[in-house]
Amino acid sequence: MKSIYVTQPFLPPLDEFIPYLEEIWRTHQLSNAGPFHENLEQALCDYLGVKYISLFSNGTLALVTALQTLKITGEVITTPFSFVATTHALWWNGIKPVFVDIEPDYFNIDPTKVESLITPQTTAIMPVHVYGNPCNVQRINEIADAYGLKVIYDACHTFGVTVKGEPVLNFGDLSVMSFHATKAFNTFEGGAIVCHDPATKKRIDNLKNFGFVNETTVVTPGINAKMNEVQASMGLLQLKYIDKAIQKRKEIASNYRDCLKDITGLTFLGDMADVKHCYSYFPVLIDKDIFGKTRDDVYNVLKQNNIFPRRYFYPLISQFPTYRGLESAQPGKMPIAEKITGQVLCLPIFPDLKSADVKTICNLLISITGSI
Ligand SMILES: *Cc1c(COP(=O)(O)O)cnc(C)c1O
């Protein structure tokens, strides 16, 4: 029996990629703002509806550099319900993460709980648009304005997401994207920072290239986080398929919703009003008191049947040994996040997933609950 993983990276036809490689072999330009890099920055600005993008070798270095860009220090309020790189990026900048609880509907940071965590050391808020569902950007913006804080969104789950037609990437001071293999849009590995003015774009471009502004001048202690030409050309090719890929994801999400809607004790997220989604994940919650089995029971039965969902995000970042000593990480401080992390399971979703496979997964879930 074949294995089905939580995702399978989308790849365009290989023969369409060869001409890009031939071009790289012809020019011998492999990195350092080559022609594919420049073209992809422009193409992404157009597609995503943003003013400035700076491409990166991966999303984590883009997060680390975003914090450097705005010289964030002290304490930053962030979510425990994310991939661990969100908090690691703070640590790599010597910043103390302060975890805030999430809201129960879409699992993004709860703006009503942010203010009580602000101290004189707080300089920024770093929320995540979890699963690509936009945060309450208006409320977060109001708090940031009132307290003079910067906002850096970890937008690694979003691609092309809009709220009332407005790209979600245009909120906050900066937004950080990932183009890792497992994301809705991939360049094998890759990432980007979205910003809104040319001076910031220039600073980011300097920071990702050791701080060089020209052959002999280094203006800042930068890092090497440049996207190379093979990655950038893959991005250009992927862009041709992205609308189809997101449409396929949407159909799969709708298939799941149809099949799973009558299972008691299993819930899933609906589309948000006025939002165009990218369907990067399909999370469900298992309430063991109603469903009859725990999330981990379900996870294990699926695995025994060669289906490999992921418990994104379990454990919480604040529960990892490296962060659990922080004051804001103490048990009981974030009741919603602590509950959701024990119930959530992300089911397989990717453009090439067959509807027969969705059926198989749904039937398995039905049989698990039926067996009690
Ligand atoms: C994938 C991801 C990252 C890291 O991106 P990489 O490109 O893998 O370095 C950071 N934050 C979130 C929320 C992610 O999902």
Side-chain angles (χ1 to χ4, degrees):
M1 198 170 141
K2 69 171 178 187
S3 297
I4 302 173
Y5 296 95
V6 69
T7 193
Q8 175 181 289
F10 178 77
L11 282 173
L14 180 58
D15 59 342
E16 292 182 26
F17 191 44
I18 304 295
Y20 291 87
L21 294 177
E22 284 170 348
E23 180 64 9
I24 293 171
W25 259 248
R26 191 184 69 75
T27 63
H28 287 252
Q29 175 128 24
L30 310 186
S31 189
N32 291 68
F36 288 129
H37 177 281
E38 301 302 280
N39 286 344
L40 182 58
E41 284 194 346
Q42 190 53 54
L44 283 172
C45 281
D46 296 344
Y47 182 87
L48 298 169
V50 303
K51 279 217 178 97
Y52 300 95
I53 276 197
S54 184
L55 295 171
F56 277 74
S57 49
N58 62 62
T60 303
L61 282 170
L63 278 170
V64 168
T65 306
L67 292 158
Q68 286 280 325
T69 302
L70 302 178
K71 301 195 181 214
I72 304 299
T73 56
E75 298 177 5
V76 169
I77 296 171
T78 189
T79 178
F81 194 73
S82 180
F83 181 60
V84 72
T86 311
T87 304
H88 281 353
L90 296 170
W91 208 261
W92 274 70
N93 278 287
I95 295 162
K96 181 174 166 190
V98 176
F99 297 109
V100 63
D101 204 2
I102 56 176
E103 43 80 17
D105 293 342
Y106 286 92
F107 320 143
N108 290 321
I109 65 163
D110 183 345
T112 67
K113 295 181 179 166
V114 167
E115 282 183 271
S116 66
L117 294 168
I118 294 173
T119 75
Q121 279 71 49
T122 310
T123 56
I125 308 172
M126 193 155 81
V128 180
H129 302 296
V130 180
Y131 307 132
N133 295 314
C135 292
N136 186 342
V137 287
Q138 259 85 24
R139 192 64 202 112
I140 291 168
N141 195 37
E142 283 164 17
I143 296 168
D145 280 353
Y147 290 85
L149 307 177
K150 302 284 188 196
V151 181
I152 298 175
Y153 283 106
D154 179 334
C156 288
H157 293 177
T158 75
F159 196 88
V161 173
T162 63
V163 187
K164 293 196 175 119
E166 176 71 21
V168 75
L169 296 167
N170 284 339
F171 295 95
D173 294 282
L174 300 173
S175 290
V176 176
M177 309 181 76
S178 167
F179 307 143
H180 181 259
T182 57
K183 306 296 189 319
F185 173 86
N186 85 77
T187 58
F188 289 19
E189 294 249 16
I193 303 178
V194 172
C195 65
H196 318 305
D197 65 87
T200 308
K201 158 79 170 146
K202 186 89 196 89
R203 175 156 169 78
I204 296 167
D205 287 347
N206 293 342
L207 275 166
K208 77 177 178 189
N209 187 30
F210 309 98
F212 278 110
V213 286
N214 61 38
E215 201 180 320
T216 51
T217 314
V218 170
V219 292
T220 187
I223 198 159
N224 179 7
K226 305 185 297 292
M227 178 180 277
N228 69 48
E229 287 290 274
V230 176
Q231 290 172 290
S233 61
M234 173 52 62
L236 283 166
L237 185 51
Q238 290 277 17
L239 258 190
K240 296 187 182 167
Y241 290 90
I242 188 66
D243 284 334
K244 257 194 223 148
I246 290 175
Q247 180 58 31
K248 289 288 289 184
R249 287 174 176 276
K250 183 175 180 171
E251 286 162 22
I252 291 161
S254 137
N255 265 346
Y256 271 128
R257 286 167 182 171
D258 280 350
C259 297
L260 300 176
K261 66 179 183 307
D262 295 327
I263 305 187
T264 54
L266 183 153
T267 50
F268 46 79
L269 307 182
D271 283 355
M272 294 167 97
D274 302 322
V275 170
K276 178 175 170 282
H277 290 274
C278 66
Y279 306 94
S280 39
Y281 300 87
F282 193 83
V284 299
L285 298 181
I286 309 284
D287 181 340
K288 71 171 188 311
D289 294 337
I290 308 171
F291 189 81
K293 291 278 178 0
T294 66
R295 183 273 315 274
D296 286 350
D297 292 337
V298 175
Y299 173 71
N300 287 321
V301 172
L302 289 175
K303 274 210 314 198
Q304 283 152 19
N305 287 275
N306 282 325
I307 292 157
F308 299 90
R310 290 295 298 267
R311 291 166 290 182
Y312 298 139
F313 291 97
Y314 165 83
L316 298 174
I317 302 175
S318 51
Q319 293 170 333
F320 285 121
T322 190
Y323 294 120
R324 69 186 171 203
L326 289 167
E327 196 190 319
S328 62
Q330 295 313 302
K333 292 230 169 191
M334 295 177 287
I336 308 292
E338 287 165 29
K339 177 172 164 217
I340 301 298
T341 193
Q343 297 192 337
V344 73
L345 191 63
C346 285
L347 300 180
I349 186 165
F350 51 88
D352 294 327
L353 184 64
K354 301 275 172 291
S355 55
D357 294 330
V358 174
K359 242 217 132 65
T360 306
I361 294 165
C362 293
N363 286 339
L364 261 168
L365 289 167
I366 292 163
S367 75
I368 297 168
T369 183
S371 69
I372 50 159

